[in-house]
Amino acid sequence: MALNADDRTAVTELLSLHGHLFDAGELDRLDELFTDDVVYDVTDFGQEPLAGIAAIREASLALGAANPIAHHITNVVLTEITPGQVRALSKGLGVHADGTCGSVTYDDTVVRGRDGWRISRRRVIARRVPLGGA
């Protein structure tokens, strides 16, 4: 069964909600974004993968003022893996308090559960060179 328009909208809105919750500091609402057993892979930034919502919350608080003040996503591409499981690729832009900006690619596995769609795995890939280094 192909991913329908309602599911595409729900997954895209889920990805968008990430920026709103983090930027507002609403880290007590991360269960609206992630499965309980989420793996948040930030190895591209020299960190170990974060396992579970509590680890994501703790890492965000530990970053403190080094967190971006604004998270934006764009260029969302959804591919159904199996019914109830989607690969979501998107581009992320982070604006820092000093006005600098960074870019990442989010490579997400999103699953449908009892509470709707949630991210079960997120790999954050830093964009550091043009054209993928080619």
Side-chain angles (χ1 to χ4, degrees):
M1 177 176 170
L3 195 63
N4 67 40
D6 289 340
D7 287 331
R8 286 184 176 280
T9 298
V11 171
T12 301
E13 287 186 3
L14 172 73
L15 300 177
S16 297
L17 182 61
H18 171 271
H20 290 284
L21 294 185
F22 276 86
D23 294 349
E26 296 184 37
L27 303 179
D28 58 326
R29 294 178 57 196
L30 296 184
D31 62 331
E32 295 176 36
L33 296 174
F34 303 113
T35 61
D36 292 336
D37 61 349
V38 63
V39 174
Y40 201 99
D41 183 345
V42 287
T43 55
D44 205 36
F45 292 89
Q47 306 294 319
E48 292 295 318
L50 304 170
I53 293 171
I56 296 169
R57 183 182 299 111
E58 290 167 17
S60 298
L61 291 171
L63 271 178
N67 280 290
I69 61 169
H71 293 78
H72 303 277
I73 66 157
T74 185
N75 300 43
V76 176
V77 178
L78 304 177
T79 306
E80 186 176 51
I81 300 169
T82 61
Q85 186 179 42
V86 173
R87 181 179 186 204
L89 285 175
S90 60
K91 296 293 185 175
L93 298 171
V95 180
H96 298 276
D98 65 1
T100 60
C101 184
S103 179
V104 299
T105 298
Y106 293 119
D107 187 352
D108 297 330
T109 302
V110 183
V111 296
R112 183 180 23 234
R114 69 180 186 284
D115 295 322
W117 291 97
R118 298 292 186 270
I119 300 167
S120 65
R121 180 167 178 80
R122 169 164 276 185
R123 182 171 165 230
V124 186
I125 306 157
R127 307 306 314 163
R128 294 187 176 104
V129 295
L131 301 175

